[in-house]
Amino acid sequence: MIFSEFEVWSFLLILGTLLFSMLIASVLKRTFKFLEKSLIPVSVLGGIILLVISTIVYFATGDYLFNLPIYSPNEFTYNGMEVLELITYHSLGIGFIAMGMRFSDRKFTKQRSVEIFDSGVTTVNGYLLQVFIGMVIVMVAMYVFNVDGLIEAAGILLAFGFGQGTGQALNFGAIYEQAGLEGGANFGLTIAALGFLVACIGGVIYINVMHRKGKIVIDNTEQAMGLADYEDTNEMAVVSSMDKFTVQFALVLVVYVISYFIMMGLSALLPSFELTLFGFNFFIGTLLTLPTKAIISKLYQKKIIKRKIVNNFMMNRIGGFAFDLMIVSGIAAIQLPLLAEHWALLLIMGAFGAVATFLYIYFVSKTLHRSYMHEQFLAMFGMLTGTASTGMILLREIDGSYKTPASENLVYQTLPAMIFGFPLMLLAPVADDGTSQALLVFGIVVVLLVAFNIILFRSKIFKKKTAKPSSSEQQP
């Protein structure tokens, strides 16, 4: 091996370019007030910068930026654009595992538990609504306007792109590409990029309109952080024979590697579901964090481990880095020329998906979270069009100190959302198996959407009738 050769450095050049684009984006946000006020995440802006450059390079040279020889030598197994997809895929799994590894001693009241449960069901209903809207639009495009290169299941990518971001949009876009959706991976990534723009633009418009009406106050307070925000009591030393951050990252990667072997084993038993199983890398990894934390807790109790080895602050940083990298690489991996035939369809899906999600989340927030409806709306709308971090960015504008329960709802709704959303995960790969299967999935989605909304609004639908006072009890 000769260390001066391109193939030794190409991956680091790709990684360095992604991170450098975010540094440039951060400078631009601080320099131009309109970008700062837009609330667009730095990772999204960095990805858009690379997407524009890559598209210009394509029309100038005939290939994309990351497929140029400096990023993609002939010795590479994958070209540069495929490496971006790999980074997006693995960042999704690592990010979710890092967030799942955090410990919490918080105990909730019954009312808070109900609100968190309702937030989880709202999340799933948002996915189902987006699937419904997406499949209707795609089927109209196929059967009314005779658009080629589509499959009915392509509509499900609206939920994965808007509701779950670039990672899952890429995963299932690639699966659907195998089933006949032209440019499936790019189709999904583009929807995810549109979702981030919808979250930022829609969120900013909502904040400004409500602020002018005097219904919300923009929170400009800065939260000072103390030692308790960085570490808990009785934690291992920051620097010892093994660095504290190294321990955190090791735990995350060990869980991720175990999830790989589980997916391999399941794929051997169910070979026809191999692509689907590996599309659930984030889900299987997140589930593994539950027994991992239980084992660690037991080791604490048995005094085998005397100091706490998991640091929530560092796990947040690992998750934040992974999600930033996922977003910037996912947007940079979009190949716009491949989407020329589907631009109108993508914009229509994005527009209808944005309006439907906006109206639904607004109605739910106003009905079930009246005391903090604006905070709940911004958190959930940001998440259901971008990511959870996008929801937190919007929420910080009016609740920077997290005084309302909206931030907790956003974080802790994950478990009920995963439980209720699991049927959707199972349905997604079934829908690409022909028209009849897609229509069956569409019907099931409609049934689930109705059923889960009955569960969500159960307190309003099944109101307890209060006994009317008798005539003797009535005041004269």
Side-chain angles (χ1 to χ4, degrees):
M1 178 179 291
I2 302 174
F3 294 120
S4 61
E5 293 180 345
F6 272 142
E7 59 266 24
V8 176
W9 289 91
S10 293
F11 177 77
L12 286 179
L13 288 174
I14 292 174
L15 197 61
T17 302
L18 294 175
L19 297 175
F20 182 66
S21 73
M22 286 194 281
L23 292 177
I24 296 297
S26 180
V27 172
L28 291 175
K29 278 203 67 173
R30 293 181 178 275
T31 304
F32 298 100
K33 291 296 182 184
F34 76 94
L35 286 175
E36 187 175 0
K37 291 181 178 179
S38 71
L39 301 181
I40 184 170
V42 167
S43 53
V44 174
L45 183 57
I48 291 173
I49 291 171
L50 291 177
L51 174 60
V52 171
I53 295 173
S54 184
T55 304
I56 293 172
V57 169
Y58 174 83
F59 286 112
T61 67
D63 212 340
Y64 298 97
L65 172 66
F66 289 97
N67 281 346
L68 296 179
I70 190 172
Y71 292 112
S72 186
N74 293 330
E75 292 82 359
F76 254 30
T77 304
Y78 301 102
N79 63 42
M81 298 298 280
E82 290 172 330
V83 171
L84 292 181
E85 294 183 4
L86 289 175
I87 292 172
T88 303
Y89 173 80
H90 288 304
S91 295
L92 174 70
I94 290 171
F96 266 87
I97 291 170
M99 302 306 282
M101 281 299 298
R102 298 173 302 176
F103 280 82
S104 175
D105 297 325
R106 190 186 300 272
K107 294 182 180 180
F108 295 111
T109 63
K110 181 179 180 181
Q111 178 60 28
R112 292 295 301 116
S113 299
V114 169
E115 291 173 351
I116 290 169
F117 174 82
D118 287 345
S119 297
V121 178
T122 301
T123 299
V124 177
N125 285 342
Y127 297 158
L128 291 169
L129 179 64
Q130 290 165 350
V131 170
F132 175 81
I133 296 291
M135 291 191 76
V136 167
I137 291 173
V138 168
M139 287 190 286
V140 168
M142 291 177 64
Y143 300 123
V144 177
F145 296 99
N146 298 315
V147 177
D148 296 326
L150 294 174
I151 60 174
E152 295 88 344
I156 299 177
L157 291 176
L158 180 60
F160 286 122
F162 269 35
Q164 299 206 347
T166 51
Q168 278 297 82
L170 170 66
N171 286 355
F172 277 90
I175 291 172
Y176 292 160
E177 189 169 339
Q178 299 289 326
L181 174 60
E182 290 184 3
N186 285 284
F187 195 99
L189 289 172
T190 303
I191 291 177
L194 289 174
F196 282 113
L197 294 177
V198 166
C200 298
I201 295 172
V204 170
I205 291 173
Y206 183 87
I207 290 171
N208 289 329
V209 169
M210 291 301 170
H211 180 59
R212 290 194 194 101
K213 291 182 177 181
K215 294 185 177 181
I216 63 174
V217 177
I218 296 178
D219 189 351
N220 293 318
T221 59
E222 294 187 0
Q223 188 81 356
M225 296 185 72
L227 182 61
D229 296 301
Y230 294 99
E231 63 179 33
D232 201 352
T233 56
N234 196 37
E235 282 194 5
M236 64 178 292
V238 175
V239 179
S240 59
S241 58
M242 187 174 186
D243 191 273
K244 191 172 186 176
F245 183 81
T246 306
V247 175
Q248 314 307 305
F249 202 69
L251 288 170
V252 172
L253 284 190
V254 166
V255 171
Y256 195 37
V257 169
I258 293 172
S259 70
Y260 164 73
F261 286 111
I262 289 175
M263 289 185 288
M264 283 288 291
L266 292 174
S267 298
L269 295 174
L270 304 167
S272 58
F273 289 93
E274 182 177 1
L275 287 176
T276 302
L277 288 167
F278 276 90
F280 288 148
N281 66 322
F282 79 103
F283 184 74
I284 294 173
T286 305
L287 287 181
L288 279 178
T289 63
L290 299 177
T292 302
K293 290 194 293 185
I295 292 171
I296 292 174
S297 295
K298 183 63 69 175
L299 293 175
Y300 289 152
Q301 294 173 11
K302 298 289 186 181
K303 305 296 182 182
I304 297 174
I305 298 178
K306 296 181 180 180
R307 289 185 174 272
K308 295 179 181 178
I309 60 174
V310 176
N311 178 271
N312 287 351
F313 177 80
M314 290 186 177
M315 285 297 180
N316 282 332
R317 302 289 66 77
I318 294 172
F321 173 74
F323 290 139
D324 280 342
L325 197 59
M326 177 190 78
I327 293 167
V328 68
S329 60
I331 295 176
I334 297 173
Q335 301 174 46
L336 291 180
L338 296 181
L339 297 167
E341 186 178 349
H342 297 315
W343 261 115
L345 176 65
L346 286 164
L347 291 176
I348 291 171
M349 286 177 67
F352 275 88
V355 172
T357 304
F358 184 99
L359 294 176
Y360 180 74
I361 299 303
Y362 182 83
F363 176 75
V364 172
S365 301
K366 185 177 181 180
T367 305
L368 300 180
H369 307 274
R370 293 184 64 86
S371 62
Y372 55 99
M373 64 163 290
H374 301 296
E375 291 83 357
Q376 180 74 5
F377 169 81
L378 288 171
M380 296 300 290
F381 177 74
M383 184 189 66
L384 281 170
T385 49
T387 61
S389 61
T390 314
M392 293 296 280
I393 289 170
L394 293 175
L395 176 62
R396 278 203 301 263
E397 290 299 305
I398 64 173
D399 186 17
S401 301
Y402 304 130
K403 295 176 181 177
T404 68
S407 60
E408 289 181 348
N409 292 350
L410 186 63
V411 173
Y412 295 108
Q413 57 80 34
T414 306
L415 182 57
M418 288 174 65
I419 293 172
F420 281 89
F422 190 66
L424 177 61
M425 293 292 186
L426 294 178
L427 290 172
V430 175
D432 67 0
D433 194 21
T435 301
S436 60
Q437 292 295 101
L439 292 175
L440 175 63
V441 168
F442 180 75
I444 294 174
V445 165
V446 172
V447 172
L448 290 176
L449 184 58
V450 172
F452 288 168
N453 271 292
I454 291 174
I455 293 173
L456 181 61
F457 295 104
R458 61 198 178 281
S459 61
K460 304 297 180 183
I461 297 173
F462 306 107
K463 286 183 178 179
K464 292 182 180 180
K465 295 182 179 179
T466 55
K468 293 182 179 180
S470 62
S471 57
S472 61
E473 295 173 326
Q474 293 178 353
Q475 296 293 330

